[in-house]
Amino acid sequence: MFSSIPMDTYLIMLALSLLHITLPAGVTAFTGIIGQANGFLAMLMIGIGFELRLEKSQVAGILKAVIIRYGMAILFAAFLLFPAAAAA
């Protein structure tokens, strides 16, 4: 576990935080730029590696679940958006 670079980084940053040691502004500015790109790159790599193979029976089940979820979300959103109409 300690041979993992991300894990080592988290432990070092945790120790620095507990000791109230701050990094220089230049370091945080540089790593902030890289960190902002990290989410995009992670989603890009997942998208590139994602291969969807579904049978027709599976598509029907997924479509049903999505319709139910979005339908319930719309109902809850409408209830919260128009509370006076729901109470009357």
Side-chain angles (χ1 to χ4, degrees):
M1 188 184 240
F2 293 106
S3 64
S4 167
I5 292 175
M7 180 67 177
D8 293 343
T9 304
Y10 287 131
L11 290 176
I12 291 169
M13 292 308 296
L14 178 65
L16 289 175
S17 177
L18 291 174
L19 295 172
H20 301 289
I21 299 173
T22 59
L23 297 174
V27 173
T28 56
F30 177 72
T31 55
I33 293 169
I34 295 171
Q36 289 173 352
N38 192 30
F40 171 75
L41 290 175
M43 291 297 122
L44 178 66
M45 295 306 294
I46 289 172
I48 289 172
F50 188 68
E51 188 173 332
L52 193 58
R53 293 185 191 148
L54 296 174
E55 297 175 12
K56 291 190 186 238
S57 62
Q58 293 173 320
V59 173
I62 292 171
L63 208 55
K64 179 182 174 185
V66 168
I67 289 171
I68 290 171
R69 282 186 111 174
Y70 278 105
M72 294 300 291
I74 290 168
L75 288 175
F76 285 131
F79 179 74
L80 292 174
L81 189 60
F82 306 111

